[in-house]
Amino acid sequence: MTRMHAGFTGVVQTSWPRPRGWARPGRLDAGVDTLPGVGATLAKRLRALGIETVRDLLLHRPRRYERAVEEIPISQLWGDEEVAIAGEVVDVRSRRLGAHRTIVTAHVRDASGAIGASWFNQPWLAEKLKPGTHLRLRGRLGRYGFDVRSYDIGSARATADFAPVYPASEQVTSARLRELVRAALAAHAADVLDPLPAELELPPRRDALAALHFPADERQAEEARRRLALDELVALQLVVARSRDEDAVAAALGSPGQLVARYREVLPFELTPHQERAITEIDLDLAQTVPMQRLLQGDVGSGKTVVALYALLRAVEEGRQGALMAPTETLAEQHFLTVEPICSSLGVRCVLLTGSVGAAKVRDEIATGVAQIAVGTHALIQRDVEFADLAVAVIDEQHRFGVEQRRALAEGRAPHVLHMTATPIPRTLALTIYGDLAVSEIAKPPANRKPVVTAWVGAERSSEAYARLRVHLDAGRQAYVVCPLIEQSETRLARAAEAEAERLSRAELRGYRVGLLHGRLKTAERREVMRQFKEGELDVLVATTVIEVGVDVPNATIMIVQEADRFGLAQLHQLRGRVGRGAEQSYCLLVSRDKVELTDVAQSRLQALVETSDGFELAETDLELRGEGQLLGTRQSGWSDLRFTRLGLDRDLLGRARVLAAELRDEDGPWQDEPDRMLRDADHRGLA
Ligand code: ADP
Ligand code: MG
């Protein structure tokens, strides 16, 4: 604590510590607990924010910056506007206020006058505020003189103006994070390597990191962001470039045969023209020995899974294997529940591989080829699962393309890969970012589908929402209730969901059969709940966002999302996609906190959902709204995993990133590990 300003020399770029001797980038992997003042408790709180290493800390992006305020003479202090004053400490005093509170008061004088400035609960400050110390204070006139919100001691000028505000939790304040970042920069700035050539017209990476956290002004902060965005895009492009193994050979699968013909027959519906077109495109790819790299893009419920299964069966009918991979076990199970009955009616052996029971036997079946289709998480091809002859891999909801596939390469043979996503990146952006992916789009859902009617009501009318939900239940339909996204950790979220399910079954949902689904259930329990809901043994599923993707129960026609304002737009759209999957008219009721409490952005999000059910339109809206914003929730679920890039603003960087990536692709430099690291970080943030 007392070392807060040690080593800090100011924010001007050139005054930042220059590297002495060799940079040691490995040191950035040191745990945050190697920083002064970080003990076990703080380290744990930081971990909850996704910060484990010094690198994580340096890359923790401020959500915004405190705007600059006017610096005025002390004699002109008036009113309650936030301002800055600067002067010298005349004297300082520390007092106790009751058992647990202290107040430090310093008299500060400038040429025009003097005032008492007070700090609460920071007793150690008394030591530092020796008479004669120069201070710059930001705050406002209050009851005890000047209420200090932030301050600089000596010549530092970082705190008061353009101070970063982090997406912090209540347990780690922005001020605390600022201190930590400062310490990290002081100790580690020299370890930051600059992998890109110097002639970028953007600051070097090291300076960008410093300026990200302590910019002198808005322009510097924005330049820093852009530089880090460029790094991020280069890493992404490298992933793409490296996964493009020019020598990889896939099995050419010829033309569609008997099995897929029977598949079409067992489907209880005709494929839509969009699905047919996607299938034609996939068939063309599969006939080649160049491995397919195709993105199947379509809104939630548009019928992608049906197409994906087609591709998998194409492998099976050639005597080879298919793999279907989802980002979480719940989703994998869900896919399995959808896909397995169809496979079984076709006489195709389909297995589910999860971390738990029976894994050895299943692995064995996969390795010997007894299993023709394997469903699981991405671990299916990331880890040591051996396939007898994997020909087609479908990867669901995974934006971090390439790596899995690269790892799956065996003896020069690569599977054909179909990436599915229901979180539509606007088409142009998808093409620019994932430059080498072919895109198939299912632009329209099946015709029998009625768009979900969405309504937004304030909390005061939530009882009406439940009344409406009961009408559906009484008509034999089923429903979802999505719990608020208030908790940071999955475990606490699960506990909150449990409590909420209990409360509901005693109150609004009394007399109905209520089930509970959250991320902390054991696999078997989760599977059982899903089965019960699917078979109509439960009326209502109270759930966390684990139902976001993949759950498919056409009889569920209404959904209530509690505290919907806390969710991101992409997430809400995904959630809403769980209803409206049958021919019935379906409803999504977004219950928000009191409307007057909501930010403009939150209101716009909810309004956008009411107005359109088109995922592509919503994706564009989200990009616009995200200008300022953080997506809510621990999971940065959204249209990209990019941390610094703002796709709306940085289109010019994409082109540059692609050129740089092409140059760096085969270079043995500091970039070698960067793409993997980035993917790891993204995994960590997205799926932890
Ligand atoms: P996605 O994977 O894009 O979310 P799914 O493939 O899961 O969509 O399909 C959503 C629902 O629509 C499923 O219940 C599926 O059986 C049904 N479905 C898919 N294609 C059609 C179609 N052509 N006609 C009618 N229903 C369809
Ligand atoms: Mg689906």
Side-chain angles (χ1 to χ4, degrees), residues 150-170:
S150 59
Y151 59 93
D152 287 313
I153 298 179
S155 60
R157 285 185 57 120
T159 315
D161 298 335
F162 297 105
V165 178
Y166 296 95
S169 65
E170 276 164 27

Side-chain angles (χ1 to χ4, degrees), residues 301 304-305 335 396 420 549-550 578 581:
K304 294 182 300 297
T305 310
H335 274 311
D396 189 19
M420 285 203 286
V549 196
R578 298 312 104 206
R581 300 177 81 83

Side-chain angles (χ1 to χ4, degrees), residues 538-560:
L538 291 171
D539 301 308
V540 185
L541 200 54
V542 175
T544 60
T545 52
V546 295
I547 60 159
E548 197 176 318
V549 196
V551 174
D552 186 21
V553 178
N555 190 47
T557 53
I558 186 163
M559 162 179 288
I560 289 179

Side-chain angles (χ1 to χ4, degrees), residues 231-467:
D231 290 1
E232 189 168 66
L233 288 170
V234 169
L236 186 62
Q237 293 295 319
L238 270 177
V239 170
V240 173
R242 286 196 190 147
S243 63
R244 197 185 307 135
D245 179 349
E246 264 112 43
D247 306 326
V249 176
L253 297 182
S255 43
Q258 284 292 313
L259 182 60
V260 289
R262 282 201 288 132
Y263 172 56
R264 286 169 176 277
E265 276 162 29
V266 302
L267 283 178
F269 42 72
E270 297 281 307
L271 295 177
T272 66
H274 289 272
Q275 286 170 320
E276 290 291 0
R277 202 184 49 214
I279 281 176
T280 307
E281 289 165 347
I282 289 168
D283 278 335
L284 284 174
D285 289 351
L286 296 180
Q288 315 290 317
T289 54
V290 177
M292 170 167 78
Q293 277 294 330
R294 183 168 289 278
L295 176 65
L296 178 60
Q297 187 169 275
D299 215 339
V300 269
S302 61
K304 294 182 300 297
T305 310
V306 174
V307 173
L309 182 52
Y310 174 93
L312 295 171
L313 291 171
R314 288 291 323 275
V316 173
E317 68 182 6
E318 288 286 322
R320 301 170 189 274
Q321 290 169 300
L324 172 54
M325 283 160 281
T328 66
E329 287 208 347
T330 313
L331 297 177
E333 279 157 24
Q334 194 50 45
H335 274 311
F336 182 73
L337 288 176
T338 311
V339 163
E340 201 277 334
I342 303 176
C343 286
S344 136
S345 75
L346 294 169
V348 170
R349 174 78 181 150
C350 178
V351 297
L352 174 67
L353 182 65
T354 60
S356 45
V357 281
K361 180 170 165 284
V362 172
R363 276 164 186 271
D364 209 52
E365 285 197 19
I366 296 173
T368 53
V370 172
Q372 294 163 293
I373 292 179
V375 181
T377 63
H378 297 118
L380 261 191
I381 50 174
Q382 275 170 0
R383 296 207 193 110
D384 55 337
V385 182
E386 236 179 88
F387 280 82
D389 189 2
L390 180 63
V392 175
V394 174
I395 303 181
D396 189 19
E397 292 303 338
Q398 169 68 286
H399 300 243
R400 303 178 277 279
F401 305 145
V403 184
E404 299 81 5
Q405 184 240 350
R406 191 155 46 102
R407 290 189 184 137
L409 294 180
E411 291 149 23
R413 171 176 289 166
H416 294 286
V417 180
L418 183 67
H419 306 273
M420 285 203 286
T421 181
T423 50
I425 310 157
R427 192 186 166 89
T428 45
L429 283 180
L431 287 171
T432 357
I433 299 179
Y434 307 114
D436 64 338
L437 279 183
V439 180
S440 292
E441 191 173 323
I442 302 184
K444 271 219 184 87
N448 68 353
R449 208 64 61 68
K450 299 188 185 72
V452 177
V453 173
T454 303
W456 166 28
V457 298
E460 72 285 356
R461 288 177 55 200
S462 80
S463 65
E464 288 170 43
Y466 281 97

